[in-house]
Amino acid sequence: MDKTKERLITLEEFIIRGQNRFRGATGELSQLLRDIGLAAKIISREINKAGITNILGNMGSENVHGEHVKKLDVFANDQMLSALSRSGNVSMIVSEENKEVIRLQSSSGKYIVYTDPLDGSSNIDVNVSVGTIFSIYRRVTDTADEPDLADALQPGVSQTAAGYVVYGSSTMLVYTTGLGVTTFTLDPSIGEFFLAENNIKIPDLGPTYSINEGSYKSWDEGLKKYIKFCQEEDPATQRPYSARYIGSMVADLHRILHKGGIFIYPSSKAYPNGKLRLMYECNPMSFIIEQAGGRSIDGRRRIMEIMPDELHQRSPIFIGSKQNVADVERFLKEYSA
Ligand code: FDP
């Protein structure tokens, strides 16, 4: 079909159409997704003019993980918190930037949201893509009561919706409500997200691997052997694979969603439990990748089946195309203790 003759569909329109397909839908989730879309536009605008307005650089303080907080991290966090508070549908928020759960005045709101407002923030100063991640759960306790930790500590399989925004050469919003993955591109001239692709599928095998090879020495044997396998020549399986590592999880996985391949952040000497956070990095990205037909494991278990103990807990992650994940799983099983 001639693309120029297709009618453009906005994010708002797409969300409302989706909502209309469900009898009895209250519109609360739709409102929440639209609020996140608004925050994404504001963050995107600020990122694009960051160099001009001198917002780049450190705040001079550290976040709950002892990492330097960048000014844009703080800005993105404020935008996400204010967007999520707007509708009254969210009772609790957990953000990478806040140690404790944030309880909102709307304690009867039926959703709990996790967010990493600005993922990949060590890349901000050098104009490399960063992202915002979100993960939405329904409360398990009665909404007439105050929400408690049980509402927040649910496994990834219970996510109602999840998504991310990647601030790259264009800004894209990608989300799933469990019915496939949809991508939208922001047209900054009119401030509107337009549908880019519906029901996107990740290739079953992808010829790239994405890992910080600097920590090679502290990997376990299975992983070392798998990376060597990726580098061997075998045209039948598209090897040797290419190495691609941006160092910004959202950007690396956005590429893998479209082109296939595998992203790995393993446990290492510096990060014995892996570096990435289960609840606002691993789970939402796993939901997206699984909905697109890929897989995500911590080495042995499916990421989304891990029962969380802590809000900010970390996990190793091996995520991407089905075949690539099956291969690394085989190596880990055979060679790692
Ligand atoms: P960053 O520290 O820049 O925020 O969230 C952590 C994260 O980025 C991921 O986005 C990224 O994939 C990873 O850390 C990069 O870690 P390394 O620098 O150790 O490779």
Side-chain angles (χ1 to χ4, degrees), residues 179-211:
L179 296 169
V181 178
T182 314
T183 69
F184 299 84
T185 307
L186 181 65
D187 178 341
S189 63
I190 53 169
E192 215 40 280
F193 277 108
F194 288 106
L195 177 65
E197 202 170 339
N198 193 15
N199 212 12
I200 186 166
K201 291 292 171 208
I202 179 171
D204 283 342
L205 175 72
T208 58
Y209 67 97
S210 189
I211 186 169

Side-chain angles (χ1 to χ4, degrees), residues 95-109:
S95 165
E96 190 202 12
E97 300 300 333
N98 302 84
K99 189 169 184 207
E100 307 293 342
V101 157
I102 300 161
R103 291 172 188 274
L104 300 183
Q105 279 191 333
S106 48
S107 60
S108 60

Side-chain angles (χ1 to χ4, degrees), residues 119-122 212 245 247-249 263 265 275-277 281:
D119 186 67
S121 49
S122 48
N212 182 345
Y245 190 69
S248 188
M249 184 198 203
F263 173 88
Y265 208 109
K275 179 184 182 191
L276 303 183
R277 265 67 70 156
E281 292 181 307

